Amino acid sequence: MKGKTTRGHIVESADRLFYQCGYEHTSFADIADSVQISKGNFYYHFKSKDEILDAVIQARLENTRNMLMRWEVEGERPEDRIKSFIQMLIANQADIKMYGCPVGTLCTELAKLNHASQAEAIELFTLFRTWLSRQFALLGRDADADELAMHLLARSQGVATLAQAFRDESFIKHEVRQMCDWLSSQLAQTNQEGSQ
Amino acid sequence: MKGKTTRGHIVESADRLFYQCGYEHTSFADIADSVQISKGNFYYHFKSKDEILDAVIQARLENTRNMLMRWEVEGERPEDRIKSFIQMLIANQADIKMYGCPVGTLCTELAKLNHASQAEAIELFTLFRTWLSRQFALLGRDADADELAMHLLARSQGVATLAQAFRDESFIKHEVRQMCDWLSSQLAQTNQEGSQ
DNA sequence: GTCTATATTTGGATAGAC
DNA sequence: GTCTATCCAAATATAGAC
């Protein structure tokens, strides 16, 4: 969709390069090469590198919102939807093994740069956080829904960081199983409390 | 100790700046300013920026080895020593909130740069991994000692990443309590199996 | 809208005086 | 061992032709 216009191509390539090589390490020349346009043409579409970053983050936000809506529709019960989140680690394991989590690594980098778009990047985390929190609330865990959401987010971040450091996909699979077990135990706990 | 010589000062300042601002984003000028020497003097002590990074990683490796040996001496039982690891998140919570985990963020950055010193940085993770694994083995969990070690490492990485993104120290405290609970449940499981 | 050419700045690195 | 001066390459950004 986005890829049809030159601007769309730029955002698409920048998105991938920022993920694979980092924001600061990716130069205009890299993006220009990738999109097959001249460096000069660039500035017709964006005033600065920061503007490209903004566009990339906005695109990621939109993609994430769409994905969460899809999960919401496709998953019958809240626990099925939470499983969609956990399974994302499996679906993207090849990329995660090579480049880590696109959200976590971007937030980490922007924090060190003290970059103006930090807040926007963190909003990516917030999308998952509030969505997961809502699913847990639907399961009757209103009281600690946000804590459960943050716990699950943290688990997936840790898995991504170590899977990348040790270049280990089997670790992802192993931890995903444990996260599913954890979810089941939380459901059991919920049902137990609900029946009291 | 290291801080007495100019070389030591450079490594010390570079270590802090690499942690707070990232390796690539930290320039020679930044380090020179911090150490209060001229940029030229620099090259008497190191041939390149990469060499400084190597020195920083070696210093961190040594500091980590010393810390692990200290924990080994100070902690009576293996579970006490593992608690030392978990408590590290509390001891360093102010820094973690601002800059994340020094090991995780360095490994993540070097991976994106595809930097030659990646392997050395990952060795920092390996130190914790093998040390934790040994503690779990001492608890009689030889079979899954490494998995337990990786699980704990991942948990702490995830906590650091999210605590930094959301600038939230209370999240660290909350998750540390849960990690201690998890450790207790693992000990219970171990004792149960041991008595069968 | 896209190109080439170029200005400007920064950062890593060297030379040589002291 | 430390300094100043300088070189060189890379990266962001601009100007202006087509």
Side-chain angles (χ1 to χ4, degrees):
Chain A
M1 191 211 294
K2 289 268 166 80
K4 278 182 187 159
T5 63
T6 299
R7 190 194 149 94
H9 276 126
I10 293 173
V11 173
E12 226 172 48
S13 285
D15 191 353
R16 199 187 65 255
L17 287 167
F18 290 171
Y19 176 41
Q20 296 177 345
C21 309
Y23 170 67
E24 196 168 32
H25 191 61
T26 301
S27 70
F28 272 114
D30 294 332
I31 306 174
D33 281 358
S34 170
V35 187
Q36 304 241 19
I37 59 170
S38 70
K39 283 197 289 175
N41 185 4
F42 233 112
Y43 290 85
Y44 174 79
H45 301 281
F46 297 95
K47 276 207 297 288
S48 69
K49 196 177 168 183
D50 287 350
E51 271 199 8
I52 300 178
L53 176 61
D54 277 341
V56 166
I57 295 176
Q58 291 308 320
R60 289 192 190 182
L61 283 168
E62 196 191 322
N63 292 340
T64 304
R65 284 192 201 99
N66 290 337
M67 183 174 65
L68 293 175
M69 284 193 291
R70 229 167 29 241
W71 289 351
E72 192 98 37
V73 174
E74 289 170 5
E76 200 180 344
R77 300 162 302 173
E79 54 260 48
D80 299 323
R81 300 180 201 140
I82 296 170
K83 279 235 171 101
S84 295
F85 171 81
I86 298 174
Q87 284 297 323
M88 181 173 48
L89 285 166
I90 300 289
N92 301 324
Q93 57 186 324
D95 281 340
I96 289 170
K97 175 181 133 182
M98 292 303 291
Y99 314 110
C101 168
V103 180
T105 56
L106 182 64
C107 286
T108 297
E109 180 178 5
L110 297 187
K112 303 238 178 207
L113 305 185
N114 200 19
H115 195 283
S117 297
Q118 256 181 97
E120 283 299 286
I122 292 164
E123 179 65 20
L124 284 162
F125 266 140
T126 305
L127 284 181
F128 286 106
R129 179 179 181 169
T130 56
W131 185 89
L132 282 170
S133 183
R134 198 168 61 248
Q135 306 310 320
F136 281 113
L138 286 171
L139 286 172
R141 294 293 287 266
D142 301 67
D144 57 352
D146 184 57
E147 269 133 56
L148 294 167
M150 282 290 280
H151 178 80
L152 209 44
L153 261 184
R155 292 272 288 261
S156 60
Q157 281 302 304
V159 170
T161 302
L162 285 199
Q164 191 219 31
F166 291 111
R167 297 282 199 275
D168 186 347
E169 286 189 22
S170 72
F171 173 65
I172 300 180
K173 294 192 188 78
H174 185 79
E175 284 285 323
V176 160
R177 266 196 300 277
Q178 286 198 46
M179 286 162 78
C180 290
D181 291 347
W182 171 84
L183 179 59
S184 299
S185 77
Q186 292 297 320
L187 293 173
Q189 198 176 317
T190 305
N191 294 334
Q192 194 185 348
E193 281 169 10
S195 63
Q196 273 173 359
Chain B
M1 192 209 293
K2 290 266 165 83
K4 278 183 185 156
T5 64
T6 298
R7 190 194 149 94
H9 276 126
I10 293 173
V11 173
E12 225 172 49
S13 285
D15 190 353
R16 198 187 66 254
L17 287 168
F18 290 171
Y19 176 39
Q20 296 176 346
C21 310
Y23 170 67
E24 196 168 33
H25 190 60
T26 301
S27 69
F28 272 113
D30 294 332
I31 306 175
D33 280 359
S34 169
V35 186
Q36 305 241 17
I37 58 168
S38 69
K39 281 202 293 175
N41 184 5
F42 234 112
Y43 290 84
Y44 174 78
H45 300 281
F46 296 95
K47 276 208 296 287
S48 68
K49 197 178 168 184
D50 287 351
E51 270 199 8
I52 300 177
L53 176 61
D54 276 341
V56 166
I57 295 175
Q58 291 308 319
R60 289 192 190 182
L61 283 168
E62 195 191 322
N63 292 338
T64 304
R65 283 192 202 99
N66 290 337
M67 183 174 64
L68 293 175
M69 282 193 291
R70 230 168 25 242
W71 289 351
E72 193 99 35
V73 174
E74 289 168 4
E76 201 180 343
R77 299 163 303 174
E79 54 260 49
D80 300 323
R81 300 180 200 138
I82 296 170
K83 280 235 171 100
S84 296
F85 171 81
I86 299 174
Q87 285 296 324
M88 181 173 48
L89 285 166
I90 300 289
N92 301 324
Q93 58 186 322
D95 281 341
I96 289 169
K97 175 181 132 183
M98 292 303 292
Y99 314 111
C101 168
V103 180
T105 57
L106 181 65
C107 286
T108 297
E109 181 179 4
L110 296 187
K112 304 238 179 207
L113 304 185
N114 199 19
H115 194 284
S117 298
Q118 258 181 97
E120 281 300 286
I122 292 163
E123 179 65 19
L124 283 162
F125 266 140
T126 305
L127 284 181
F128 286 106
R129 179 179 183 170
T130 56
W131 185 88
L132 283 170
S133 184
R134 198 168 62 248
Q135 306 311 318
F136 282 113
L138 285 170
L139 287 171
R141 295 292 287 266
D142 301 66
D144 56 353
D146 184 57
E147 269 133 58
L148 295 167
M150 282 291 280
H151 178 79
L152 209 44
L153 261 185
R155 292 273 287 261
S156 59
Q157 281 302 304
V159 169
T161 302
L162 285 199
Q164 191 218 30
F166 291 111
R167 296 285 199 273
D168 186 346
E169 286 189 22
S170 72
F171 173 66
I172 300 179
K173 294 192 188 78
H174 185 79
E175 284 285 323
V176 160
R177 266 195 302 277
Q178 287 198 44
M179 287 162 78
C180 289
D181 291 348
W182 171 85
L183 179 59
S184 298
S185 77
Q186 291 299 320
L187 294 174
Q189 198 176 318
T190 304
N191 294 333
Q192 195 185 345
E193 282 169 10
S195 64
Q196 274 172 356

